Every structure is written in structure tokens, then in C-alpha cells.
């Protein structure tokens, strides 16, 4: 029995001196946090990129309203949505049911504070439905919302805006129409 115990101790000492496979073990220890970090960077990067595309598309659509081009050509809500989708290189318009456009006229800039919230107290999304191109010198708000589906569950828990786990990417332009 004593020989068996000595043999076991010698083998344990041999393992402690053997460096083969150390890299694989170290990589196994840091692989999961590394891949989680990479997935977070990629998902957040795509969200910020989509937000920038949505901002640019919103400002292009708002320019059409502000200069009177939308009113003169009697643009419909679907035409404004088409314009926004064309400006976003197809990234956000793969599912048009997730895109919401609101164009609303206000009597003055101070009345903009009365704009209804997009999410209620239960985190239920209240899609904007108003579409009014306004007239000359009207105070306008063009708000475009895209319900971005979050991919990674742990980022979804941290960044969701709605009860169904989506992130709302919102772009708003506020201006006074030109006297066209």
C-alpha cells in the first residue's frame, strides 16, 4: 500500500512540472468572458450604427416637410416611410411593421411638451399614429421609431425599452416649416 501512495505522489509532482496544455486551459478559463464581450461590442455597435442611419433618414424626411415639398406633392405616410427606408440602406426596413413614423403639427414650440410618451408605465409600446404635414410656418415634429429586436439575452435585460424585450431607436426632428 505504501508503494501505491508513493507512486501517486510522484505522478502528482510530475503533473505540476508538466507545462503542456497550459495555454488551452488558460484559454478555456477566459474564452467565455471574451466571447461575451465581443458579442456585446458587436450588438451595441450595430445598434449605434442603426441609430445614426435612422437620424440621417429622419432629417432627410423632415427636410421634405420643412421646405414644403411633402405638402406640395401630397406625400402620404407610406411615401415618407419609403423615403426613410431608402435612406437607411435596407438595414432597418427589413421588417416594415417595426417602423413607425409620426408627423405632427403644434401651435407653438412650448406645446411640444404635451407629446405623448412612447412607452407607458407597464413598458407597453404605444406606437405613434399622427400624420399631419402642417402648413406654412407651422411648428412641426417628425418622430421616427424603430423597434430593434435585441439578440443577446443579457444585453436585452440591460437595454430593453419595452416589455417584449425590444430596444426603441428613436429619432426626432423639431422645426418650423418654411413659408413656402
Amino acid at each position: 500500500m505504501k508503494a501505491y501512495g508513493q507512486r501517486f505522489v510522484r505522478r502528482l509532482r510530475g503533473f505540476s512540472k508538466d507545462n503542456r496544455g497550459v495555454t488551452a486551459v488558460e484559454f478555456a478559463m477566459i474564452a467565455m468572458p471574451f466571447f461575451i464581450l465581443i458579442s456585446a461590442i458587436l450588438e451595441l455597435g450595430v445598434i449605434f450604427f442603426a441609430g445614426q442611419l435612422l437620424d440621417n433618414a429622419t432629417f432627410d424626411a423632415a427636410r421634405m416637410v420643412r421646405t414644403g415639398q411633402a405638402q406640395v406633392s401630397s406625400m402620404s405616410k407610406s411615401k415618407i416611410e419609403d423615403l426613410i427606408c431608402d435612406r437607411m440602406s435596407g438595414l432597418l426596413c427589413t421588417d416594415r411593421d417595426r417602423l413607425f413614423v409620426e408627423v405632427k403639427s403644434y401651435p407653438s414650440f412650448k406645446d411640444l411638451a404635451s407629446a405623448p410618451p412612447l412607452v407607458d408605465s407597464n413598458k407597453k409600446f404605444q406606437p405613434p399614429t399622427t400624420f399631419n404635414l402642417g402648413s406654412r410656418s407651422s411648428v412641426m415634429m417628425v418622430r421616427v421609431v424603430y423597434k430593434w429586436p435585441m439578440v443577446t439575452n443579457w444585453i436585452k435585460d440591460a437595454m430593453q425599452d419595452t416589455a417584449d424585450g425590444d430596444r426603441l431607436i428613436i429619432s426626432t426632428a423639431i422645426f418650423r416649416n418654411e413659408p413656402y
Side-chain angles (χ1 to χ4, degrees):
M1 194 68 146
K2 187 176 181 181
Y4 179 73
Q6 289 173 347
R7 202 174 341 164
F8 181 72
V9 169
R10 267 188 269 138
R11 284 190 183 177
L12 282 178
R13 285 187 190 142
F15 281 131
S16 68
K17 293 179 183 177
D18 190 2
N19 290 333
R20 292 177 296 173
V22 170
T23 305
V25 171
E26 289 174 350
F27 180 74
M29 289 171 31
I30 65 164
M32 185 58 98
F34 176 73
F35 289 124
I36 287 173
L37 180 65
I38 293 298
S39 67
I41 290 170
L42 290 174
E43 185 163 11
L44 292 175
V46 170
I47 289 171
F48 289 134
F49 179 68
Q52 188 63 43
L53 284 177
L54 188 65
D55 281 345
N56 290 336
T58 300
F59 294 140
D60 286 346
R63 186 178 305 117
M64 297 286 286
V65 174
R66 181 176 50 246
T67 59
Q69 295 173 16
Q71 292 86 335
V72 169
S73 62
S74 300
M75 287 184 94
S76 65
K77 186 175 184 176
S78 64
K79 289 288 185 186
I80 295 282
E81 289 173 352
D82 291 341
L83 174 71
I84 291 169
C85 285
D86 290 344
R87 301 288 195 271
M88 289 191 298
S89 307
L91 179 67
L92 296 180
C93 285
T94 55
D95 186 359
R96 289 286 287 266
D97 293 337
R98 293 182 161 275
L99 181 71
F100 302 92
V101 176
E102 178 181 31
V103 180
K104 191 170 183 179
S105 174
Y106 288 89
S108 68
F109 283 107
K110 69 177 181 178
D111 294 319
L112 287 164
S114 66
L118 294 172
V119 179
D120 66 12
S121 60
N122 297 324
K123 286 192 152 191
K124 184 170 180 351
F125 176 61
Q126 306 293 325
T129 56
T130 307
F131 187 78
N132 175 6
L133 294 173
S135 59
R136 295 180 174 127
S137 301
S138 296
V139 174
M140 300 296 298
M141 178 181 70
V142 176
R143 181 165 50 177
V144 181
V145 180
Y146 188 81
K147 285 179 63 177
W148 185 269
M150 301 297 288
V151 177
T152 333
N153 283 337
W154 61 276
I155 292 180
K156 182 189 294 186
D157 293 340
M159 295 189 65
Q160 70 184 4
D161 291 322
T162 62
D164 57 0
D166 291 331
R167 175 85 179 157
L168 297 179
I169 301 175
I170 304 167
S171 181
T172 305
I174 298 171
F175 52 90
R176 182 180 298 276
N177 278 349
E178 294 177 0
Y180 50 88

